[in-house]
Amino acid sequence: MSSQVTNPQTRIWQELSHQHHLAPFSDYKQLSEKGPRIITKAEGVYLWDSEGNKILDGMAGLWCVAIGYGREELVEAASQQMRQLPFYNTFFQTAHPPVLELAKAIADVAPAGMNHVFFTGSGSEGNDTMLRMVRHYWALKGKPQKKVIISRINGYHGSTVAGASLGGMKYMHEQGDLPIPGIVHIPQPYWFGEGGDMSPEEFGIWAADQLEKKILEVGEENVGAFIAEPVQGAGGVVIAPDSYWPRIREILAKYDILFVADEVICGFGRTGEWFGSDYYGNSPDLMTIAKGLTSGYVPMGGLLVSDKVFAVINEGGDFNHGFTYSGHPVAAAVALENIRILREEKIVEKVKAETAPYLQKRLRELADHPLVGEVRGLGMLGAIELVKNKQTRERYPAETSVGMVCRGHCFDNGLIMRAVGDTMIIAPPLVISHAEIDELVTKARLCLDLTARDVQA
Ligand SMILES: *Cc1c(COP(=O)(O)O)cnc(C)c1O
C-alpha cells in the first residue's frame, strides 16, 4: 500500500503503528516497512480506508460482522447500557438484567437441550473455559483421569495457551512449547488438500475413523472430549465430505466422551441455520460461541452447556473459573440487540432461502477459471483453491505465494478476500445483497485473472 499513499494523515498513522503498535499474527519488521492499511469507517458490507478507497468486505471483519456495519440499534443499545450500568461483575452471587436476558435469548436459538451459558470475553477464553469445564465434569463424575482432549490438525480454536494448543496450527505450536500436555490431534477432513487418490466419500470415512483410532490409542478411560469446528474456518473453510459427520456421530455414540462444537464462526447464522451443529444434525454437549454473537461490535464469547453437563456441574460446588468481563453488561446488551435483529429481520432464514444459494451458485461459476482447482462453500462461507494443474490438484511452488498475490490484487481492486496458503476464502456479512454478491464475484474473477497473469509470467 505504501506506494499509493497520498493522504499525509495515512503516513502519520502508519508511523504510529511502527513506533508503538504490535498487531496480532504479524511480521513486525515487514509491517513497519509496508505500513498497515488504515481502515477509518464502514457501512453495510463496505469499508473505507484512509486513502478514500471503498472496499467490499468479503470477510465480515474477521467472520464476525453478521448484521453488517453501521447498525444504529447496536450503538443505541451500548450507549443506553453504558448510562444505566456500564459495568458490574457477575462474580459473588450478583447478576444484572442484560446478562440474564442474553443467556435466555441464546438458549432460545440454541439446539434443544443447550440451556446454560458461561460468558467470556472472546472465543479463545470460551475454549479455555471448555477445557476446564470438561475436566471439572469428569472429576465430578469420579473419572479425573479423563483429561485428554482430541482435536484436529489445522483446526482453529483461538490463541490463548489452551486455545492455541487445542488448535492444530503447526506454526502456532512452534512458538512457546505448544501444545500443552493432554491435547492430541487427528487429521482433518480436507479432501482437496489431503484426500490423495481416495474419493471424497472414502476420505471422509477415513478421516472420521482417525477419531476412533485415537480414542483407542489414548484409551477411552483417558479421553474427556473431542472438539471440532462444524466447518473449519481459519484452516481454509474446510468442509468435510458428506460421509464424515454421520461416521463421527457413530463413533461418538460408542464411547463415553463429550463432544464440543466450536461454533465461533458457524454460530449465529453463518451456515443458514442458527448453528453449524443444526446444519449437520450434530448434538454437541458443549458449544463455544463468539464472533457473530455481537456481530463484532463489542467483544464477547461464551460456552453453551447442555443439560447433561449442567446436571453434573450444578451438583459440584464451586467452579473456580471466570473473567472480570464475563457477561459484561454493555457486551450483553449489544448481543441481545444483535440477536433481536437476527430474529426479527429473519436474517438466518433469508441466508438459507435466498442469499446463500445465490452466493454459492455465483461462486461456483469461478470453477471454470484456469487457476481454480475447486470452489466449495455452504451458507455464507466459501473457498477457492488456486492450483497450477486443475486435473491433478497440483499446487504452485510455495515461493510463488499465489494466495498472497491474489490477496494483493483483491485489496487493490476493492475486495477483501483472505488467503490461507493457496486457498482464497470468503465469509461476507450475512446481510449481503444479491447485487453486492454480484460485485464480489465480478471482482473475484478480475483478481483471479490478474493473479493468473502474474504467476504465469
Ligand atoms: C476466531 C475463533 C476462535 C477464537 O476467538 P477469539 O475471539 O479470537 O479468541 C476460536 N474458534 C474459532 C473457530 C474461531 O474462528
Side-chain angles (χ1 to χ4, degrees):
M1 164 157 194
S2 40
S3 56
Q4 302 138 283
V5 170
T6 55
N7 177 1
Q9 182 62 47
T10 301
R11 287 279 185 227
I12 294 169
W13 281 321
Q14 289 179 334
E15 189 56 21
L16 292 181
S17 165
H18 169 59
Q19 295 289 347
H20 302 293
H21 182 228
L22 297 176
F25 288 94
S26 297
D27 175 333
Y28 298 120
K29 193 150 175 259
Q30 191 193 47
L31 186 62
S32 289
E33 282 162 9
K34 276 186 70 186
R37 180 181 294 267
I38 311 293
I39 303 298
T40 51
K41 63 170 190 174
E43 181 64 36
V45 300
Y46 294 99
L47 304 167
W48 280 262
D49 70 16
S50 57
E51 295 296 300
N53 297 304
K54 183 182 177 186
I55 308 162
L56 174 55
D57 186 3
M59 282 305 298
L62 211 41
W63 320 86
C64 47
V65 187
I67 65 169
Y69 298 98
R71 291 294 304 239
E72 275 301 318
E73 301 93 322
L74 268 58
V75 179
E76 196 49 41
S79 58
Q80 266 184 31
Q81 186 58 44
M82 280 195 180
R83 288 196 188 92
Q84 177 77 26
L85 178 73
F87 178 75
Y88 200 72
N89 70 70
T90 51
F91 291 40
F92 319 131
Q93 306 192 348
T94 61
H96 45 70
V99 75
L100 302 173
E101 287 165 22
L102 177 60
K104 157 85 167 110
I106 293 171
D108 283 348
V109 296
M114 304 213 79
N115 288 307
H116 294 81
V117 192
F118 190 106
F119 288 103
T120 68
S122 68
S124 302
E125 289 174 9
N127 281 323
D128 277 57
T129 300
M130 178 282 293
L131 182 132
R132 298 198 60 200
M133 192 175 286
V134 164
R135 292 177 177 174
H136 181 52
Y137 169 87
W138 286 115
L140 289 169
K141 299 256 294 175
K143 296 178 178 173
Q145 76 286 359
K146 276 173 84 73
K147 284 196 174 89
V148 176
I149 317 267
I150 301 176
S151 177
R152 300 187 299 185
I153 294 166
N154 203 38
Y156 188 79
H157 299 298
S159 194
T160 53
V161 170
S165 295
L166 289 162
M169 301 293 186
K170 193 158 160 265
Y171 61 94
M172 291 174 76
H173 293 168
E174 279 164 0
Q175 296 176 337
D177 257 336
L178 303 179
I180 53 172
I183 294 171
V184 296
H185 296 84
I186 60 172
Q188 57 178 333
Y190 179 28
W191 176 79
F192 187 87
E194 299 173 359
D197 294 334
M198 279 186 254
S199 69
E201 297 317 295
E202 288 166 347
F203 179 71
I205 297 288
W206 177 87
D209 283 346
Q210 301 309 302
L211 173 61
E212 182 159 42
K213 211 174 130 198
K214 188 59 86 179
I215 294 170
L216 296 173
E217 182 190 312
V218 175
E220 182 186 0
E221 68 283 7
N222 298 315
V223 178
F226 169 57
I227 181 170
E229 300 158 81
V231 173
Q232 276 172 234
V237 183
V238 174
I239 299 172
D242 290 344
S243 56
Y244 183 79
W245 288 112
R247 182 88 184 124
I248 290 281
R249 289 196 292 273
E250 273 172 39
I251 295 166
L252 289 169
K254 269 165 68 180
Y255 300 96
D256 190 18
I257 67 175
L258 296 174
F259 175 36
V260 185
D262 185 333
E263 294 270 4
V264 170
I265 285 176
C266 292
F268 300 96
R270 186 142 297 278
T271 65
E273 301 287 345
W274 275 92
F275 292 90
S277 297
D278 299 323
Y279 182 90
Y280 283 115
N282 293 341
S283 306
D285 300 297
L286 298 159
M287 298 198 322
T288 321
I289 54 173
K291 296 195 170 116
L293 169 61
T294 57
S295 279
Y297 280 52
V298 290
M300 183 175 237
L303 181 69
L304 258 114
V305 177
S306 63
D307 297 345
K308 166 179 144 180
V309 173
F310 174 73
V312 173
I313 60 169
N314 191 40
E315 299 295 318
D318 280 355
F319 180 41
N320 298 314
H321 173 74
F323 303 101
T324 302
Y325 299 135
S326 286
H328 193 288
V330 177
V334 170
L336 201 52
E337 186 62 8
N338 180 55
I339 292 174
R340 187 194 65 75
I341 289 173
L342 284 168
R343 292 185 78 162
E344 280 185 14
E345 297 182 5
K346 301 204 181 311
I347 290 172
V348 184
E349 291 86 340
K350 277 189 193 149
V351 165
K352 182 176 180 171
E354 295 168 25
T355 36
Y358 188 67
L359 174 73
Q360 296 302 334
K361 173 177 144 292
R362 296 283 345 250
L363 269 186
R364 278 176 183 64
E365 292 169 14
L366 298 171
D368 68 3
H369 194 278
L371 205 56
V372 174
E374 178 180 82
V375 178
R376 62 173 176 271
L378 62 81
M380 300 306 259
L381 289 162
I384 303 167
E385 296 280 3
L386 307 184
V387 291
K388 193 166 176 196
N389 183 321
K390 286 171 84 83
Q391 272 67 48
T392 62
R393 319 207 291 270
E394 184 198 346
R395 301 279 192 188
Y396 277 96
E399 55 284 10
T400 306
S401 298
V402 61
M404 295 306 280
V405 172
C406 186
R407 191 183 79 172
H409 284 303
C410 290
F411 261 133
D412 293 343
N413 287 282
L415 171 66
I416 291 188
M417 270 207 287
R418 182 165 156 191
V420 176
D422 293 346
T423 312
M424 304 309 297
I425 58 176
I426 58 149
L430 304 186
V431 295
I432 191 170
S433 69
H434 282 49
E436 290 157 347
I437 289 171
D438 290 340
E439 181 188 339
L440 187 155
V441 174
T442 302
K443 285 185 167 166
R445 183 177 287 279
L446 167 69
C447 297
L448 290 169
D449 287 344
L450 295 170
T451 305
R453 191 197 61 194
D454 284 357
V455 298
Q456 283 156 9

